[in-house]
Amino acid sequence: MRDRMRTACRAVTVAVALAAAGGATAVPAVAAPTGITRVALPPAPTGLTYSYDAIAQQATVRWNPKDPADTVTTGYREVSCAGPTTADGPCFIRASGPLLTGDSFTFRLAAGRTFYFRLAAENAAHQHTSSAILTITTT
């Protein structure tokens, strides 16, 4: 064990001495990876509002429709949050299932609850940009 420690210390000493001597060792340049395509992030959804049907116990969230000039967004995913801000707890995106492609989403929600909802726009690379948190209060 001592021998390994001495060897490691000598290697560090040599490396430091080489660096102090003006970098006597050359590090080969590394080329940028090829075949990587950068994908623009989708714009965050805006205009979130909700309505609640107490008889059916269903909440419907609506948002501004996708801009026709938006060629990045492939759809939307619903996100549930633990609190009214991200500081109050994490948000979880539903990563499985089909993308939402319209401008509304309906789900069951019992009366007398408060639910924190976000909507995430998704691009072809499965990257997301989330909306502000919408607080849904049912009666």
Side-chain angles (χ1 to χ4, degrees):
M1 180 70 169
R2 264 191 199 160
D3 289 337
R4 283 189 219 159
M5 210 49 166
R6 285 184 189 144
T7 303
C9 287
R10 285 184 189 141
V12 169
T13 302
V14 169
V16 170
L18 287 172
T25 60
V27 177
V30 178
T34 58
I36 295 177
T37 304
R38 294 189 186 266
V39 179
L41 288 175
T46 59
L48 271 70
T49 61
Y50 77 94
S51 59
Y52 183 69
D53 180 342
I55 295 170
Q57 292 190 337
Q58 290 185 334
T60 299
V61 176
R62 290 181 176 73
W63 55 91
N64 292 338
K66 178 181 159 184
D67 186 325
D70 176 5
T71 60
V72 176
T73 303
T74 57
Y76 303 95
R77 296 211 179 264
E78 63 269 21
V79 181
S80 61
C81 298
T85 70
T86 54
D88 296 320
C91 293
F92 299 97
I93 189 165
R94 183 190 57 83
S96 63
L99 284 172
L100 303 172
T101 56
D103 58 5
S104 68
F105 173 66
T106 300
F107 58 99
R108 292 193 49 80
L109 187 60
R113 296 212 38 222
T114 298
F115 185 74
Y116 305 104
F117 182 90
R118 279 181 125 161
L119 188 69
E122 183 174 294
N123 66 11
H126 306 289
Q127 297 169 315
H128 301 99
T129 305
S130 294
S131 69
I133 295 173
L134 173 69
T135 302
I136 300 172
T137 305
T138 63
T139 55

